[in-house]
Structure formats: C-alpha cells, structure tokens
Amino acid sequence: MKTRETRSGKQTKQWIMDTAMKLFNEHGTQAVSTKRIASEMGISPGNLYYHFKNKEEIIRTMFCAKLDDFQSVWTNEELPPLHRFVKTLEQIIFTWKDHRFFKMELVTLLNRDPELKQLYLQNRQEMFEQALPMFEQITAESIQESPEGKDKLVADLLTISWIIVEHWLSHLSINDAPFTDEQMEKGLKLIIQIWLPYLSSSAKKDLKDLI
C-alpha cells in the first residue's frame, strides 16, 4: 500500500511556491491559474486557498522571501562594505535567474498588483538609502570633487546598476542567449565595471579576490 507523504503548513506553502515558480518560469504567470498549480501538485484547490487566497499573494510571498535573503547580506555589517556589495549583487542576479518569470514580466506584474508594486518600490528606496554610507567607505576621495556631489554620483551609479539587474534577463532573452551561470556572471561583471573607476585603490585591490 502506498504511503501518503504528510507536510506541515510551512512545508506545504513552500511546496506551493516551488511548484508555482516552475510553472511560471515555463509558461508565464498569465497562463497559470491557482487551479493549475493545485492540479500539478495533486492537491485540491481548497487546500491551496487555505495557504494563499490567490495567485498574486503567491507571487508577493515569493518576492518578500527573496527580499529577506537579499537584506540579510546587504545589511550585514559584519562583512566589509565591498563584500556586501558584490555578494548582494551576485545573490540578486542568480536568484532572479531561478525566478526569471518575475523579471521577464516585471512591468505587467507590478501594474497588476499595486501591493506588490509598493513593496518593490519601497525595497528599492531602502536599498538606495542604505547604500550611501556603505559606498562612502569604498569609493575614491577624488569623486568628492564631482561637480554634482558625491551623493548624486553614487545615486546615479546605483540607478544604472539597478537597471542592469532589472533588465539583464530580458537582454539575454532578446538575444536568444541561454540563462546560464556564465551569462549571469557577465551581468555581474558589467555592473562592477561601472563602479570600478570610482573605487578607492584598496577597494580595487580587494575586488580582485572577490571576482
């Protein structure tokens, strides 16, 4: 007789999110309903609705879980600032490779769910605010002489970095490039190249040991 596997509520929620991620990546969020997710799992829709009231809540929960992961590195003051920057970038780029539906459908998802959009924009603002004191320690003193000021320059560099992170997977898709670890490394190194001219001599030296 076949033994039925039992899961705790927390395990079931994670199972739902893992299954949803797989289907979203393969078929896109528009083509995947909660009923389809439940069917793929072999559970009743009612069981799924016990944990998530709709598809948007599944996506928001997945997004928030990833934000917690990013913040755990980004705000870890036990790590040197340069390490926090590079490790967070690496974590973000490789995470979105596994959750590629989110970046491929970013505008649609944010427009469809105002609550998700608010979370997304709030996270971006918090990361920008946390970045400034961090970069004070790793950028060269010469950029203090920037006509627009150091704060403005750092904000511009962060914006450029954010744009690359947001659209790197779309860039690969348009060019029929595979979503491989090698391609993710290219995106990471592209962002680092933008910052390189503005890093202090010691930070440039440390960077060689990180990438």
Side-chain angles (χ1 to χ4, degrees):
M1 186 171 101
K2 186 176 181 180
T3 302
R4 185 175 180 178
E5 183 179 1
T6 59
R7 290 179 171 85
S8 67
K10 185 176 181 180
Q11 289 172 326
T12 301
K13 286 190 74 169
Q14 188 60 53
W15 183 27
I16 292 170
M17 289 191 289
D18 291 345
T19 304
M21 180 182 70
K22 175 178 177 293
L23 293 174
F24 292 159
N25 282 341
E26 291 177 354
H27 307 287
T29 59
Q30 291 278 38
V32 178
S33 65
T34 50
K35 289 184 179 180
R36 183 170 181 180
I37 296 169
S39 176
E40 179 78 10
M41 298 171 64
I43 65 174
S44 69
N47 193 344
L48 186 148
Y49 291 136
Y50 177 80
H51 298 282
F52 298 100
K53 63 182 180 181
N54 52 38
K55 182 168 60 177
E56 285 70 33
E57 187 177 8
I58 296 174
I59 294 171
R60 280 198 304 272
T61 304
M62 293 166 69
F63 177 68
C64 287
K66 293 302 115 185
L67 291 189
D68 289 343
D69 291 343
F70 301 154
Q71 285 289 344
S72 68
V73 178
W74 187 249
T75 60
N76 183 359
E77 295 186 0
E78 294 183 2
L79 293 174
L82 184 65
H83 289 233
R84 286 158 58 192
F85 175 56
V86 173
K87 293 303 179 185
T88 301
L89 275 179
E90 188 177 64
Q91 188 180 35
I92 289 173
I93 287 179
F94 280 87
T95 292
W96 292 134
K97 176 192 131 184
D98 295 332
H99 295 71
R100 57 187 175 273
F101 76 90
F102 191 85
K103 290 303 182 184
M104 300 297 288
E105 301 182 42
L106 181 61
V107 175
T108 299
L109 291 174
L110 297 184
N111 286 337
R112 197 166 64 198
D113 185 353
E115 188 175 343
L116 178 64
K117 185 173 183 178
Q118 183 179 1
L119 287 168
Y120 180 85
L121 294 176
Q122 180 181 337
N123 170 69
R124 183 175 66 182
Q125 182 62 29
E126 288 176 355
M127 292 192 77
F128 273 39
E129 291 173 356
Q130 293 160 354
L132 193 56
M134 180 165 59
F135 284 109
E136 288 281 348
Q137 302 177 54
I138 63 174
T139 48
E141 291 183 6
S142 59
I143 76 167
Q144 296 278 13
E145 302 170 3
S146 170
E148 295 182 324
K150 185 172 184 177
D151 289 2
K152 175 66 165 56
L153 178 57
V154 169
D156 288 346
L157 291 170
L158 283 168
T159 299
I160 295 168
S161 303
W162 193 276
I163 290 170
I164 294 173
V165 167
E166 283 184 333
H167 300 287
W168 184 245
L169 293 183
S170 296
H171 166 75
L172 295 179
S173 180
I174 290 169
N175 289 280
D176 296 322
F179 295 162
T180 60
D181 288 353
E182 182 181 6
Q183 293 292 349
M184 300 305 113
E185 288 283 354
K186 285 183 180 180
L188 175 63
K189 289 180 179 179
L190 185 63
I191 295 171
I192 290 173
Q193 285 298 318
I194 293 168
W195 285 90
L196 196 57
Y198 304 100
L199 297 181
S200 65
S201 298
S202 60
K204 288 178 182 178
K205 183 178 179 181
D206 291 341
L207 188 61
K208 293 179 180 179
D209 297 328
L210 291 175
I211 61 173

